[in-house]
Amino acid sequence: MGSRHVSGYAALQRIGLSNVDLVAVCDIKLENAESVARQAEELLGKKPTVYQSIDDAIKDPAIHAFDIVTEAFSHLEVALPALRAGKHVLCEKPMALTVRSCQAMIEAARSTNSVLAVAENYRRDPPNRLVKALIEAGLLGHLHLLNQSFIGGDDHIIITPWRHQKHRGSIALDICCHYTDIVQYHLGEIESVYGESFIAEPVRRRRETPEMDLPSYWARLKQMPEKIVPDCEDSAIGFFQLASGAKSTLSYIPSGPGKREFQRSFHGRAGHLTMEKDRTGGIVEFTGEKGAIRTDELQRLIPSFELDEVTSRLFDGKVSYTLPFAQSDAALMAIEIYDFADAILTNRKPEVDGEQGMKAVAAVLGIFESSAIKRPVTMEEILTSKVSAYQDSIDEELGLLK
Ligand SMILES: NC(=O)c1ccc[n+]([C@@H]2O[C@H](COP(=O)([O-])OP(=O)(O)OC[C@H]3O[C@@H](n4cnc5c(N)ncnc54)[C@H](O)[C@@H]3O)[C@@H](O)[C@H]2O)c1
């Protein structure tokens, strides 16, 4: 992800709206830091300083902010010292593995008045921006349901072995937190959660080729064991009750070869709206009494809708775009990086602050907790850690259980 974020910095620079200087990179594996530093030099024209320890990086007065792109389980150990030292933090999703960890990060940011932002990239995709505007304009009428599912896959290790270890960040949390952010972005606060999480593939094997054709992904693949036995859920099915009265379902099961099905559809009294997978620039379609209307026409229904300047420049002003994945991926990173730096420079809240990042994590943990105790759980119970049976062993290891 470090390498992909560098492409985000480069995309910002390319459109002439860069508001941030990448002055250093840090990784406990020196070769990874060196490789990202070389990529940064190539793309940004300046080689960043290389650090191998967060403590050394924190001492560097040239560094005002940290962009945390490390494994999910390490977000806490990297963010806390940085925030406590008064540095601002942009943290990759999932913000952390437990609610207590997220709370500790929020508290650290508050104590030094630092900006804490979470890199939720899917919501920044132009089709999601349009859909939010359409919902706010009342196109769907009374909203009943948001249906999301991403089903199908195989028994390969998904991206990294650590994503199949509970104490390092399960793939179900890793992926579903994207979708719970989307639920809350479009529909507002979640009130309660009911669900089940489970292991769909008890043994996972190394892939022949990586998920993305990037040097960093090839390098990582070479270091993977041939097979692993996951100790945590790779799948989750959840039902969310929203404060607005709307409901949402989420199914993520990365197993079962054949068609890999993605669905995001909104159902209201006035019609329904469908979207294609995030980061593809796919069509948004509304079907109501008068038939189907697609992206461009939908945009004309709300003349006040416009993409912000950074998004518009990165996507050529288009909501439905056709760009290579690496380019749209980098563009979404660029938008979140710009928003983070702008929040620091103009002393405002970032679009996704610590509270919002925590709620995306909490909603997924709500499924896991509900599955563990076999009853629906309220977000209040999750956010105050009144219900935490699933998370307790992780918090114990992190020293967060009092
Ligand atoms: N937003 C997205 O679309 C998206 C996509 C992929 C990954 N991610 C997120 O990015 C994060 C990283 O994922 P990844 O697949 O790149 O992981 P990875 O395991 O490939 O890379 C993590 C890097 O962090 C380094 N690291 C670990 N602990 C460290 C520490 N304490 N200090 C400094 N460096 C440390 C490791 O050495 C490694 O180089 C995760 O939170 C993941 O969920 C987000």
Side-chain angles (χ1 to χ4, degrees), residues 111-122:
S111 72
T112 52
N113 208 15
S114 306
V115 172
L116 170 59
V118 180
E120 300 288 0
N121 46 342
Y122 287 16

Side-chain angles (χ1 to χ4, degrees), residues 55-324:
D55 295 332
D56 291 340
I58 286 170
K59 286 185 206 132
D60 184 340
I63 300 175
H64 296 287
F66 282 75
D67 178 2
I68 300 180
V69 290
T70 62
E71 288 106 317
F73 67 91
S74 63
H75 292 173
L76 181 73
E77 74 185 59
V78 179
L80 281 188
L83 289 165
R84 285 175 184 155
K87 311 282 182 179
H88 307 287
V89 162
L90 169 64
C91 182
E92 256 305 334
K93 50 53 61 182
M95 180 175 165
L97 302 190
T98 67
V99 166
R100 290 186 187 93
S101 312
C102 295
Q103 298 279 20
M105 287 163 70
I106 292 169
E107 184 46 44
R110 202 173 287 140
S111 72
T112 52
N113 208 15
S114 306
V115 172
L116 170 59
V118 180
E120 300 288 0
N121 46 342
Y122 287 16
R123 61 162 64 208
R124 312 188 200 244
D125 210 1
N128 273 314
R129 298 303 203 195
L130 174 63
V131 167
K132 184 168 171 65
L134 291 167
I135 292 171
E136 281 174 0
L139 180 75
L140 289 162
H142 176 80
L143 213 137
H144 303 302
L145 176 70
L146 161 54
N147 231 337
Q148 291 192 97
S149 59
F150 188 20
I151 300 177
D154 48 39
D155 65 350
H156 286 141
I157 296 169
I158 307 175
I159 315 173
T160 51
W162 62 256
R163 285 174 168 88
H164 301 285
Q165 294 173 281
K166 176 176 172 181
H167 286 218
R168 295 166 75 88
S170 78
I171 186 68
L173 173 64
D174 198 69
I175 298 296
C176 290
C177 70
H178 280 298
Y179 299 125
T180 50
D181 180 60
I182 285 293
V183 173
Q184 293 174 91
Y185 175 59
H186 287 303
L187 306 186
E189 301 278 315
I190 292 175
E191 238 170 29
S192 65
V193 184
Y194 180 60
E196 282 219 18
S197 49
F198 55 95
I199 296 178
E201 292 291 345
V203 176
R204 287 195 176 263
R205 296 174 299 107
R206 188 174 61 203
R207 296 167 60 95
E208 303 285 310
T209 56
E211 283 90 349
M212 290 175 72
D213 190 17
L214 292 173
S216 55
Y217 275 61
W218 276 102
R220 203 169 52 178
L221 188 72
K222 283 192 192 125
Q223 291 166 10
M224 275 183 208
E226 238 168 72
K227 78 179 181 193
I228 57 166
V229 177
D231 73 2
C232 63
E233 59 287 311
D234 55 15
S235 301
I237 300 179
F239 174 85
F240 304 104
Q241 175 65 56
L242 285 115
S244 66
K247 286 136 186 51
S248 178
T249 59
L250 170 62
S251 307
Y252 172 64
I253 310 174
S255 166
K259 195 176 171 209
R260 196 167 288 192
E261 188 184 79
F262 173 84
Q263 184 192 357
R264 180 174 304 138
S265 57
F266 300 79
H267 304 265
R269 204 169 275 147
H272 74 260
L273 195 141
T274 56
M275 299 181 67
E276 290 174 32
K277 204 159 177 275
D278 305 282
R279 299 179 289 187
T280 61
I283 293 292
V284 177
E285 186 175 84
F286 172 74
T287 314
E289 236 174 12
K290 293 182 189 148
I293 318 176
R294 296 180 136 207
T295 314
D296 291 349
E297 216 180 315
L298 285 170
Q299 248 176 287
R300 284 194 287 275
L301 289 181
I302 30 174
S304 59
F305 171 77
E306 57 180 356
L307 297 170
D308 64 82
E309 189 188 1
V310 175
T311 307
S312 185
R313 295 271 276 276
L314 288 160
F315 288 95
D316 273 341
K318 294 193 179 102
V319 171
S320 286
Y321 54 84
T322 43
L323 294 175

